[in-house]
Amino acid sequence: MAGPAVGLWLFKHRSFEEMRASVIPWLETFCDPVEAEADGDLAFRVREPATLGLHALNTAEAGMFFLSEDDCIPADDEDYSDFSLPPVQGLILDAGCSGQLNHVLLGHLALAFARRLHAVIDFDGVLGFTPGDRPEEAADLARARALVASLPGTVREVSYDTGGGDRWIRHVGDLPFLSAWLQHPDFRLVK
C-alpha cells in the first residue's frame, strides 16, 4: 500500500539532475541504500533517523522513500495569488508504505529537504480533514482550518480544479509551520 506524499515547491528553477546530485551525498550520510532509479527518481531508506532529530525512533519497519520531479507544478488551474511569485518547479517526496512511522519520517524528511532546497511544503490536501458525509464536511473543514490556524508559521490555502467545475483546496506551509505540526499530538500527513 502506498504511503503519504508531500510536494516541495521551489521558487527558483534548478534542473532535477542538479538537485539530485546535490542531495545524494547528504542522503548517503543517513540513508542506505540511496539509488537512482531508471526514470531518474531517487529511492532511499532512512538508516540513521537521529540525523533528522529522531533519536529514539527505530526505522527497521519503515519503508522506502522516493524523490521525483513534479511536472505538474506550476499548474494552470491552481490559484497562487497568496504568493508573491508562483512556484516555478515542484518535487514529490513520498513514502512507499503507510503507517504512523512512515508519516513521521516523511514529515521530518520534508522539513530537511525544504531547508536544503529553500522550498515550501505542499501537503497535497487539507491537514486534519477527512472527507466524509456531505452535511458534516463544512464543520469538519472549519475544525481543520482552526487546527492549522492554531499553530505557528504560515499556511496558505491554494485552490485548484477538481474536475466538473468544482474547486477544492490544499494546504501549503512553511518551515515553522511544519516544525510545529510535527510536534502536534494529531500529526498526520494527507494520504
Side-chain angles (χ1 to χ4, degrees):
M1 172 187 276
V6 296
L8 301 169
W9 288 4
L10 305 161
F11 296 89
K12 181 180 177 187
H13 192 275
R14 293 171 56 190
S15 75
F16 183 64
E17 294 76 20
E18 178 188 344
M19 281 187 281
R20 187 181 60 211
S22 75
V23 299
I24 286 175
W26 166 67
L27 285 171
E28 288 174 336
T29 65
F30 67 98
C31 297
D32 186 36
V34 177
E35 301 169 338
E37 297 187 319
D39 60 4
D41 295 352
L42 279 181
F44 52 95
R45 185 180 303 274
V46 176
R47 178 188 71 239
E48 309 239 355
T51 303
L52 299 170
L54 299 167
H55 299 282
L57 192 68
N58 180 350
T59 61
E61 300 296 318
M64 294 291 287
F65 293 87
F66 303 91
L67 180 70
S68 57
E69 190 165 21
D70 185 349
D71 57 4
C72 296
I73 298 296
D76 294 335
D77 68 330
E78 293 186 337
D79 178 6
Y80 302 120
S81 62
D82 278 349
F83 295 91
S84 56
L85 296 170
V88 297
Q89 188 174 13
L91 301 173
I92 299 169
L93 184 61
D94 67 284
C97 299
S98 197
Q100 187 62 22
L101 172 62
N102 290 298
H103 280 258
V104 169
L105 280 170
L106 181 62
H108 283 273
L109 283 165
L111 187 65
F113 270 99
R115 280 188 183 124
R116 290 185 75 78
L117 300 173
H118 308 288
V120 296
I121 301 95
D122 169 10
F123 294 101
D124 199 30
V126 178
L127 293 170
F129 176 83
T130 303
D133 297 329
R134 285 279 185 204
E136 296 176 18
E137 278 190 359
D140 291 343
L141 181 57
R143 280 191 292 278
R145 284 176 163 155
L147 169 67
V148 168
S150 73
L151 296 170
T154 302
V155 172
R156 294 176 174 93
E157 291 184 354
V158 176
S159 68
Y160 62 92
D161 272 333
T162 62
D166 291 333
R167 305 262 316 152
W168 189 238
I169 56 173
R170 62 184 351 113
H171 282 142
V172 178
D174 62 8
L175 292 170
F177 173 80
L178 179 54
S179 293
W181 181 229
L182 283 164
Q183 303 308 312
H184 194 278
D186 294 333
F187 169 77
R188 188 140 179 101
L189 295 170
V190 176
K191 181 174 178 300

